[in-house]
Amino acid sequence: EAQVTQNPRYLITVTGKKLTVTCSQNMNHEYMSWYRQDPGLGLRQIYYSMNVEVTDKGDVPEGYKVSRKEKRNFPLILESPSPNQTSLYFCASSFGGLPETQYFGPGTRLLVL
Amino acid sequence: SQQGEEDPQALSIQEGENATMNCSYKTSINNLQWYRQNSGRGLVHLILIRSNEREKHSGRLRVTLDTSKKSSSLLITASRAADTASYFCATDAGGTSYGKLTFGQGTILTVHP
């Protein structure tokens, strides 16, 4: 089954404790992206990658890191999480190097205390 | 700033009625996409319309794009209770924003049986 998976789905952590949210897709998609969703703000793009070893900043990259060493994986790293990073995070992927017709993961709900 | 802004923020209708949602954006675009989200789940791609297209259909969905007014509308005909969801427009501006996708804040649609 074609899908985008994210782990963990739910996470409670404390300020400053490094964490990684994994994202994996099995569709051989070139494009992958991370978004955060906050009430009243819609989805905002954090980072995106148009292919392996190619990443770029979205609209809200501060406090996040990403890497794209393999085509299928695009982990999101929070080196020192803060309470303002409490949010619902989505990973998405699409065919070709463009953000068209994206497939979304189920989301990761993060609470930073 | 938000590239896409939806209007209305919330829409409540009876089953069988049509639902129209609007999206306005600020800069020129390569394409505009509409996505649906059911209650905190991952988004599902509905339809993509390119900047050189004016109208597109997919089942009960009709999307129009007016690049002179920088606006798009999504029409759902003969709505069903299962159409209850949040609907987001997303714009791909291309150019110096190549690879970026910007979402609006969404319209919450409630269809009453």
Side-chain angles (χ1 to χ4, degrees):
Chain A
E1 181 191 350
Q3 59 183 350
V4 178
T5 57
Q6 296 179 225
N7 282 293
R9 295 287 315 281
Y10 304 91
L11 180 60
I12 301 173
T13 189
V14 295
T15 299
K17 187 176 181 182
K18 180 179 179 179
L19 67 91
T20 299
V21 184
T22 65
C23 173
S24 182
Q25 48 92 6
N26 62 359
M27 296 168 280
N28 203 36
H29 284 168
E30 286 81 6
Y31 186 95
M32 296 186 76
S33 183
W34 276 103
Y35 301 90
R36 61 177 288 173
Q37 184 175 27
D38 303 289
L41 295 176
L43 277 84
R44 294 179 292 169
Q45 192 172 40
I46 303 171
Y47 270 96
Y48 61 96
S49 169
M50 289 190 280
N51 215 326
V52 176
E53 302 290 2
V54 180
T55 63
D56 212 339
K57 296 177 181 178
D59 290 322
V60 289
E62 297 78 19
Y64 305 94
K65 282 176 59 177
V66 293
S67 67
R68 186 90 181 274
K69 292 182 171 50
E70 308 165 280
K71 202 170 190 179
R72 63 182 294 131
N73 296 322
F74 190 44
L76 179 69
I77 303 158
L78 285 71
E79 294 269 3
S80 182
S82 62
N84 64 12
Q85 293 178 298
T86 292
S87 188
L88 177 57
Y89 291 87
F90 289 102
C91 179
S93 72
S94 52
F95 181 71
L98 293 173
E100 298 184 358
T101 315
Q102 291 193 62
Y103 289 76
F104 277 77
T108 294
R109 206 169 277 279
L110 173 65
L111 173 61
V112 183
L113 301 172
Chain B
S1 62
Q2 288 288 339
Q3 167 74 322
E5 295 186 3
E6 283 95 337
D7 167 61
Q9 290 188 336
L11 182 59
S12 182
I13 60 174
Q14 294 295 127
E15 212 166 28
E17 295 179 340
N18 295 342
T20 300
M21 289 159 266
N22 303 297
C23 170
S24 60
Y25 56 92
K26 295 183 173 67
T27 65
S28 60
I29 59 171
N30 281 342
N31 64 64
L32 186 145
Q33 303 173 56
W34 285 91
Y35 288 81
R36 185 188 73 224
Q37 183 182 36
N38 288 89
S39 193
R41 296 191 177 185
L43 279 71
V44 174
H45 181 264
L46 295 176
I47 199 165
L48 179 151
I49 187 165
R50 300 199 183 277
S51 60
N52 61 354
E53 298 175 307
R54 292 296 167 257
E55 186 170 316
K56 210 161 182 181
H57 296 255
S58 177
R60 293 183 298 113
L61 306 180
R62 172 177 168 251
V63 169
T64 60
L65 179 64
D66 187 337
T67 53
S68 66
K69 294 181 179 178
K70 293 187 170 56
S71 68
S72 172
S73 67
L74 170 67
L75 168 67
I76 304 174
T77 61
S79 62
R80 306 165 182 168
D83 294 328
T84 295
S86 294
Y87 292 81
F88 295 89
C89 67
T91 51
D92 173 5
T96 56
S97 299
Y98 191 73
K100 272 186 159 183
L101 193 65
T102 304
F103 282 82
Q105 297 176 2
T107 292
I108 301 171
L109 173 65
T110 304
V111 182
H112 300 282

